Amino acid sequence: AQSVSQHNHHVILSEAASLELGCNYSYGGTVNLFWYVQYPGQHLQLLLKYFSGDPLVKGIKGFEAEFIKSKFSFNLRKPSVQWSDTAEYFCAVVGPASKLTFGTGTRLQVTL
Amino acid sequence: NAGVTQTPKFQVLKTGQSMTLQCAQDMNHNSMYWYRQDPGMGLRLIYYSASEGTTDKGEVPNGYNVSRLNKREFSLRLESAAPSQTSVYFCASSDFEAFFGQGTRLTVV
């Protein structure tokens, strides 16, 4: 069964620090991969997506992610975080039959 | 441009009561989903519908039923609510990327 693992549950960074959040998925076939962000009290919004092509994808607000097929990973990165990046981040995968599965999320807290 | 509309936004139920959460999308998407979000557990898939006329169980279907009424609408029903179903429920629709509703905060007392 397809699944998504996010190993960092809670990350605290100072403003301007670099960010990398891990994401691994289990399904071995063709997948589409996503990172979503949820600001406090809001619904999920798309940060970036990977369907095919260049494994380094760029999203909104300076975020990027790299798809490494051999490692079943799709890690999220940002060179310099801002206080406004404080939110919860979810990795997700769409596998067969359009089933969209999310990881448990990583809560990012950015301090001034 | 409504996107995904969920109703109601808030609901309090007594144990054993039933209710239906409504979801409608205006983006002509084929796939629709119902999730519940609980602290520390991310979004867990309850049911999904890959296309009109089909529904499939997700990770946590027990205690829930769904109806894909047409391409636009996908409802979630709790037949006999339990305190364990206290959660925030999100509906989503997708063809390539998923769009989410604003959520329903459900409390079962």
Side-chain angles (χ1 to χ4, degrees):
Chain A
Q2 72 186 56
S3 65
V4 180
S5 298
Q6 292 181 244
H7 306 294
N8 314 105
H9 298 296
H10 187 194
V11 173
I12 302 173
L13 293 173
S14 300
E15 223 179 21
S18 64
L19 170 72
E20 181 160 2
L21 301 181
C23 172
N24 290 92
Y25 62 95
S26 64
Y27 182 65
T30 301
V31 293
N32 297 328
L33 296 158
F34 306 85
W35 276 97
Y36 284 83
V37 60
Q38 186 179 31
Y39 298 103
Q42 296 188 25
H43 61 95
L44 274 75
Q45 303 168 44
L46 182 70
L47 267 183
L48 47 79
K49 60 193 175 192
Y50 173 80
F51 292 156
S52 63
D54 189 342
L56 184 62
V57 292
K58 296 194 183 297
I60 61 171
K61 304 185 181 187
F63 286 92
E64 65 180 32
E66 185 174 13
F67 170 55
I68 303 179
K69 190 174 182 180
S70 60
K71 294 185 179 180
F72 297 90
S73 70
F74 189 56
N75 292 353
L76 181 71
R77 300 194 292 247
K78 186 171 183 178
S80 175
V81 294
Q82 300 174 310
W83 180 79
S84 58
D85 293 325
T86 294
E88 193 154 15
Y89 293 81
F90 294 93
C91 182
V93 60
V94 173
S98 303
K99 186 178 180 183
L100 175 60
T101 302
F102 284 84
T104 52
T106 297
R107 185 169 152 240
L108 172 65
Q109 186 177 347
V110 180
T111 60
L112 295 170
Chain B
N1 191 9
V4 179
T5 304
Q6 269 182 254
T7 54
K9 287 189 169 53
F10 300 94
Q11 184 71 50
V12 178
L13 288 178
K14 293 183 179 177
T15 298
Q17 286 186 317
S18 63
M19 78 161 295
T20 300
L21 281 66
Q22 306 285 355
C23 176
Q25 51 98 3
D26 62 3
M27 294 171 283
N28 203 36
H29 287 163
N30 285 304
S31 302
M32 295 187 74
Y33 308 86
W34 275 106
Y35 295 90
R36 60 177 290 172
Q37 184 175 25
D38 303 289
M41 304 188 80
L43 275 81
R44 293 183 291 169
L45 182 62
I46 304 171
Y47 272 92
Y48 67 107
S49 171
S51 61
E52 185 179 355
T54 69
T55 60
D56 285 287
K57 294 179 180 179
E59 305 165 66
V60 289
N62 291 344
Y64 305 95
N65 285 301
V66 290
S67 295
R68 184 74 183 266
L69 304 168
N70 47 55
K71 194 170 186 180
R72 289 188 64 247
E73 298 172 286
F74 188 41
S75 62
L76 178 72
R77 183 159 178 84
L78 287 71
E79 291 291 352
S80 178
S84 60
Q85 294 178 304
T86 293
S87 187
V88 179
Y89 292 83
F90 286 99
C91 176
S93 72
S94 168
D95 266 351
F96 295 103
E97 65 182 78
F99 293 83
F100 285 81
Q102 294 289 333
T104 297
R105 188 171 292 274
L106 174 66
T107 302
V108 183
V109 297

